[in-house]
Amino acid sequence: MLETLRRIIQEVNTAPDLQRALNIIVERVKKTIKVDVASVYLSDADRSQHVLMATDGFRQDAVGKVRADFGTGLVGMVREREEPVNVEDAPSHPRYRFIGETGEKPYHGFLGVPIIQHGNVLGVLVVRHREKRKFGEEEEAFLVTLAAQLAGAITHAGASGEVSRLLDALDSQSMFLNGLPGAKGVGIGQALVVYPLANLDAVPDRKAEDPAAEEAAFRKAVDDVKDDLRKYSASMAAALPVEDLALFDALIMMLGSESMLDGTVERIRAGNWAPGALRETIHEHVQVFQNMEDTYLRQRASDISDLGRRVLTYLQAVGEVSREPFPQTILVGEELSAGQLAEIPMSQLAGIVSARGSTSSHVAILARAMGVPAVMGVEDLPVGRLEGQKLVVDGYRGIVYVNPNDTVCSEFIRLQHEETRLSAGLKNLRGKESITPDGVTIPLYVNTGLISDIEPSLNAEGSGVGLYRTEIPFLVRENFPGEDEQMRIYRKMLEAFSPRPVTLRTLDIGGDKMLPYFPVNEENPFLGWRGIRITLDHPEIFLTQLRAMLRASSGLDNLQILLPMVSGVVELDESLKLIRRAHKEVVEEGVAVRFPPIGVMLEVPSAVYLVEMMARRIDFFSIGTNDLTQYLLAVDRNNTRVAGLYDSLHPSVLRALRYIVEGVHSEGKPVCVCGEMAGDPAAVLLLMGLGVDGLSMNAGSLPQIKWVIRSFRQDEAGDLLDEVWKLEDPHSIRRLCNSILELGGLGGLVRAGN
Ligand code: PEP
Ligand code: MG
């Protein structure tokens, strides 16, 4: 049954639309568990009814007509109980209700399972048997698994408007997708789907503007792939036996087959653009092969997928160039990259929605820095079906509304207005000091990485730059920038902020920050070759960067250098040696620059316990709470599945912070926080209580954090911390901090609207 299940799931996943997915389910279920009828009912929330949407066994004209109120019948009972109902003799059950419209005599055996997604009952999957029959455990498990699968398909279809089209009136309120808050704010706009090159599954449906041109491009792409295959075959002729070379001929034949060519052309003529039409044809073929009994033939499915990707690669080379962002663009993708964000003009980027990643992913950090609302980790995101759709991005709660109705839209427009009012209120803090009412100054710095951030960062009027992520200019290029180019980038920053200090962090690539031109493939990248580990292994890259930094600071002398991912003193000593060498070199070349203050990022747990030793060698520390949290809690900061466990307010993280602050202060050195925690109003109350010497955050958060600091006395923060030490879980800690903010009149900082 497992194999059958696997195949049905595959078929459902590749079905071109929901109706076909439902039909596949009922047909396969009826056959597999040998029942007389299999049916799917979907919930029509508007009318509080179940609607028969697919059946194998009842009359087909009953589809769409048979409706039953939620509270009635055995189907209604499945909905209420939210668990399977297995009845041997349905007519004798008190909840039984005869469905006349199907024109059938009563059925006896009944098994119904709910189709549930995120706690919502979307429908019911039912099998009926003419004779009395108590269904077995395995049959029940089979239906439950399929129902779970179907729930995903229905949610996707709901999001794309398909369910409402099918039902004619599905409650549009329920068409939302849950993710994780990535960047606060509300964004309203149209979806622009970006997808990695040659990823057929992620290609969206899109209307063909010029079907004839799409068809020609498709035929040309097919010819190009055939040419490539012929070339591969010729170049391998000497090395491969004839039987293996025949594979190329077979692939060329497959590609040129009528079903492949005509199938795609037909879809183009029906209105889809070439990549979308190709995706559907390839899926259809893959499915045919996957269903074959013969193992060899089944494996050919991957050859077909490969052909599809090859054709797509050629198509994309033609098609991608002319895509224009919408005036209010919501960027949507399976996994968005920093480069993709940078491609959309800031003035047109209204929101970001990513199927992968979490609150602490670098894309989310970038979104916060740019002040663009973002929702991450939307696992059910039907990427392929969202192009051009209207979306509302609620970055506070991590929810995306697809084609929202007028009520939803006007509510979010109202919230946007409130946000504008809140930030206008915060403008009154301009020029005011970051000082607590009892006179403790806590300097605020900005985190940056894009040259385009200089303006907002300067407007945020912080005490300088607490973290410049130098990898960002590296990420948006096609090769390593040279020393002079880097020097120019850093100089702009140093000049713009002079005489305020600018903390340039040395290259921190690896983990989820891969340079396209320096690929590192690892099983476990966050525990692998990352940050200082890479730069110490590549002193040529490190020295080039250090030299560029030092030269950039000449005459300004406001540079501070920060080292990422340091795990112990050996790495620190090696780094210091290279910094001294770079400094000596540039000075000998005639550049007048003082030796800059050197800092270490505290983000690897092993470094926490060595702060005193390190403090004697360097000038300052900066706590990278994003990584420190992920490593202390053993929770991948990008993994949506465990995102609920990732919280910098975890009692262990707070204890590590206390240990750090006490250790560093005992050596008379300063320690700041530059992770996202520094821009989190609830966390800032605790950081104030801990006595950190400064906070560095994205420019957008700075006015809010200044408001927090100016609203609470240090001793109040200390008292709060005393209470927090008694709490045992991050949720209670956050609740307590939020309630303190709320009492102080700052509740608007932690929820949409105020
Ligand atoms: C951190 O880890 O907290 C940090 C500031 O660095 P990044 O987010 O760039 O890893
Ligand atoms: Mg880090």
Side-chain angles (χ1 to χ4, degrees):
M1 211 170 243
L2 196 65
E3 179 57 13
T4 318
L5 197 57
R6 191 186 61 77
R7 277 212 228 131
I8 301 178
I9 288 174
Q10 228 153 30
E11 283 183 78
V12 168
N13 283 344
T14 52
D17 54 48
L18 180 63
Q19 187 62 63
R20 271 178 274 188
L22 297 180
N23 292 344
I24 291 167
I25 291 261
V26 292
E27 274 168 36
R28 302 293 186 272
V29 165
K30 180 173 178 240
K31 208 158 117 200
T32 312
I33 48 180
K34 301 188 178 56
V35 283
D36 293 308
V37 185
S39 316
V40 175
Y41 297 81
L42 290 192
S43 307
D44 182 345
D46 261 0
R47 302 191 205 170
S48 300
Q49 285 181 330
H50 289 122
V51 193
L52 177 70
M53 291 307 296
T55 180
D56 190 354
F58 283 155
R59 282 190 351 223
Q60 282 309 308
D61 61 1
V63 170
K65 295 209 188 90
V66 171
R67 287 177 168 267
D69 291 342
F70 278 165
T72 62
L74 288 170
V75 174
M77 189 174 157
V78 176
R79 180 187 182 84
E80 279 157 29
R81 292 176 49 171
E82 297 189 357
E83 61 182 11
V85 171
N86 189 348
V87 181
E88 185 176 359
D89 183 26
S92 63
H93 193 283
R95 290 290 298 263
Y96 177 76
R97 180 181 156 268
F98 178 60
I99 310 165
E101 297 92 320
T102 55
E104 301 286 345
K105 291 198 266 335
Y107 289 83
H108 290 268
F110 175 98
L111 170 60
V113 298
I115 303 166
I116 302 185
Q117 182 88 334
H118 303 312
N120 284 334
V121 182
L122 307 177
V124 180
L125 173 60
V126 178
V127 292
R128 293 182 171 91
H129 203 67
R130 175 80 66 204
E131 310 301 329
K132 285 186 187 172
R133 174 166 167 187
K134 181 85 176 168
F135 291 93
E137 238 173 63
E138 205 189 340
E139 290 159 334
E140 205 173 298
F142 175 76
L143 283 200
V144 168
T145 313
L146 276 183
Q149 198 61 32
L150 203 49
I154 294 170
T155 306
H156 284 193
S160 68
E162 203 185 337
V163 172
S164 55
R165 279 199 296 280
L166 277 177
L167 286 179
D168 200 21
L170 187 74
D171 177 20
S172 58
Q173 288 272 13
S174 64
M175 274 188 270
F176 61 78
L177 298 162
N178 278 304
L180 303 160
K184 282 185 209 165
V186 169
I188 303 175
Q190 270 178 292
L192 183 80
V193 178
V194 290
Y195 49 94
L197 215 64
N199 178 358
L200 204 54
D201 292 330
V203 167
D205 282 335
R206 197 176 288 164
K207 197 173 161 307
E209 295 303 337
D210 179 352
E214 291 290 326
E215 188 183 325
F218 166 67
R219 289 188 188 279
K220 164 96 176 48
V222 168
D223 287 342
D224 289 339
V225 175
K226 281 192 199 164
D227 285 346
D228 285 350
L229 291 170
R230 282 190 202 101
K231 265 187 242 149
Y232 299 152
S233 171
S235 67
M236 290 185 185
L240 284 183
V242 182
E243 317 78 271
D244 287 350
L245 280 177
L247 175 69
F248 289 104
D249 293 330
L251 290 177
I252 291 170
M253 255 170 57
M254 256 189 235
L255 199 52
S257 72
E258 247 176 47
S259 58
M260 190 79 93
L261 278 181
D262 295 356
T264 310
V265 167
E266 246 170 56
R267 289 183 165 102
I268 293 174
R269 290 183 187 164
N272 207 348
W273 71 325
L278 174 72
R279 185 202 68 220
E280 283 210 44
T281 311
I282 294 288
H283 278 172
E284 198 175 83
H285 282 68
V286 164
Q287 207 176 304
V288 171
F289 276 84
Q290 273 169 346
N291 280 331
M292 291 185 175
E293 293 297 341
D294 183 291
T295 321
Y296 174 80
L297 287 175
R298 237 188 1 250
Q299 283 168 356
R300 301 285 58 78
S302 62
D303 292 337
I304 310 256
S305 303
D306 185 57
L307 282 179
R309 278 193 293 273
R310 286 172 190 278
V311 176
L312 181 65
T313 305
Y314 274 106
L315 275 175
Q316 285 181 335
V318 181
E320 267 311 277
V321 185
S322 59
R323 288 184 68 206
E324 278 294 323
F326 300 106
Q328 293 293 309
T329 297
I330 308 280
L331 203 61
V332 176
E334 278 291 337
E335 189 155 30
L336 294 171
S337 68
Q340 286 164 334
L341 255 63
E343 276 169 26
I344 311 288
M346 283 273 277
S347 59
Q348 284 170 264
L349 190 57
I352 290 166
V353 180
S354 174
R356 307 248 181 87
S358 70
T359 306
S360 39
S361 299
H362 281 100
V363 166
I365 294 176
L366 213 57
R368 288 195 283 276
M370 294 159 85
V372 179
V375 175
M376 307 293 293
V378 189
E379 281 186 332
D380 299 316
L381 194 67
V383 172
R385 294 174 194 263
L386 288 182
E387 180 75 9
Q389 308 257 23
K390 182 167 186 183
L391 302 184
V392 169
V393 177
D394 175 354
Y396 291 95
R397 291 181 300 159
I399 295 177
V400 182
Y401 296 81
V402 184
N403 286 326
N405 60 21
D406 291 347
T407 325
V408 173
C409 277
S410 46
E411 176 59 12
F412 278 99
I413 291 169
R414 186 185 69 76
L415 290 176
Q416 274 186 329
H417 290 322
E418 282 192 11
E419 273 189 330
T420 318
R421 272 214 312 275
L422 178 69
S423 43
L426 290 172
K427 284 213 180 87
N428 295 334
L429 296 179
R430 274 191 76 83
K432 300 211 169 119
E433 260 186 285
S434 171
I435 187 167
T436 63
D438 51 343
V440 180
T441 301
I442 303 178
L444 304 183
Y445 302 91
V446 287
N447 290 353
T448 65
L450 292 172
I451 284 296
S452 61
D453 294 334
I454 290 186
E455 216 29 53
S457 302
L458 278 173
N459 286 339
E461 48 154 13
S463 302
V465 175
L467 171 66
Y468 178 93
R469 292 181 165 96
T470 58
E471 55 280 1
I472 295 181
F474 280 68
L475 280 167
V476 294
R477 277 177 175 65
E478 280 164 10
N479 44 37
F480 278 109
E483 184 177 317
D484 287 347
E485 191 183 352
Q486 287 189 49
M487 203 273 284
R488 280 194 293 274
I489 298 171
Y490 305 149
R491 177 93 191 165
K492 269 205 187 116
M493 233 359 146
L494 291 159
E495 262 173 357
F497 282 86
S498 171
R500 291 176 280 173
V502 173
T503 311
L504 300 184
R505 180 173 72 180
T506 62
L507 197 60
D508 183 20
I509 50 171
D512 65 341
K513 287 177 289 191
M514 275 313 153
L515 301 180
Y517 48 89
F518 188 73
V520 179
N521 283 323
E522 291 178 314
E523 284 279 307
N524 216 339
F526 274 106
L527 297 184
W529 210 36
R530 240 202 103 172
I532 202 80
R533 301 172 185 179
I534 294 189
T535 42
L536 287 179
D537 283 347
H538 277 282
E540 77 290 5
I541 297 176
F542 197 33
L543 283 167
T544 304
Q545 183 173 42
L546 293 170
R547 288 174 49 89
M549 289 176 172
L550 291 163
R551 284 175 53 207
S553 182
S554 167
L556 300 168
D557 281 337
N558 57 342
L559 164 72
Q560 307 200 117
I561 294 180
L562 183 60
L563 304 167
M565 282 294 291
V566 174
S567 61
V569 285
V570 177
E571 284 163 344
L572 175 55
D573 287 343
E574 262 186 76
S575 308
L576 288 171
K577 206 164 83 195
L578 289 166
I579 298 172
R580 280 189 209 106
R581 187 166 128 195
H583 182 252
K584 188 161 173 278
E585 279 173 17
V586 297
V587 170
E588 279 171 7
E589 286 162 21
V591 181
V593 59
R594 74 170 171 126
F595 193 82
I598 307 295
V600 157
M601 295 267 306
L602 289 170
E603 50 184 349
V604 179
S606 59
V608 171
Y609 300 100
L610 303 175
V611 285
E612 288 93 347
M613 282 180 212
M614 291 200 271
R616 286 172 219 135
R617 293 163 156 87
I618 53 157
D619 306 286
F620 68 97
F621 288 93
S622 196
I623 312 177
T625 47
N626 307 337
D627 278 314
L628 187 60
T629 303
Q630 97 162 327
Y631 293 129
L632 268 182
L633 303 183
V635 176
D636 179 347
R637 62 194 265 187
N638 283 309
N639 185 336
T640 313
R641 206 169 294 155
V642 289
L645 298 173
Y646 183 100
D647 198 331
S648 298
L649 297 193
H650 192 287
S652 309
V653 178
L654 298 177
R655 280 164 174 77
L657 296 182
R658 178 170 62 182
Y659 189 93
I660 291 171
V661 175
E662 287 174 2
V664 175
H665 284 172
S666 73
E667 293 295 326
K669 297 282 161 70
V671 56
C672 293
V673 174
C674 67
E676 293 304 297
M677 205 176 172
D680 172 353
V684 163
L685 289 174
L686 305 180
L687 297 174
M688 283 168 69
L690 283 167
V692 300
D693 302 293
L695 300 167
S696 191
M697 67 210 72
N698 65 66
S701 301
L702 205 137
Q704 307 184 353
I705 299 305
K706 196 195 273 189
W707 190 22
V708 174
I709 289 171
R710 294 180 60 87
S711 307
F712 294 91
R713 292 194 315 271
Q714 170 112 52
D715 61 338
E716 281 177 307
D719 292 346
L720 170 65
L721 200 57
D722 289 341
E723 287 307 304
V724 161
W725 296 131
K726 297 179 203 151
L727 301 176
E728 296 177 349
D729 68 280
H731 306 293
S732 323
I733 296 175
R734 188 167 292 280
R735 263 199 307 277
L736 177 61
C737 296
N738 284 351
S739 68
I740 297 292
L741 288 171
E742 197 77 59
L743 285 173
L746 283 72
L749 296 182
V750 284
R751 56 182 154 78
N754 54 6

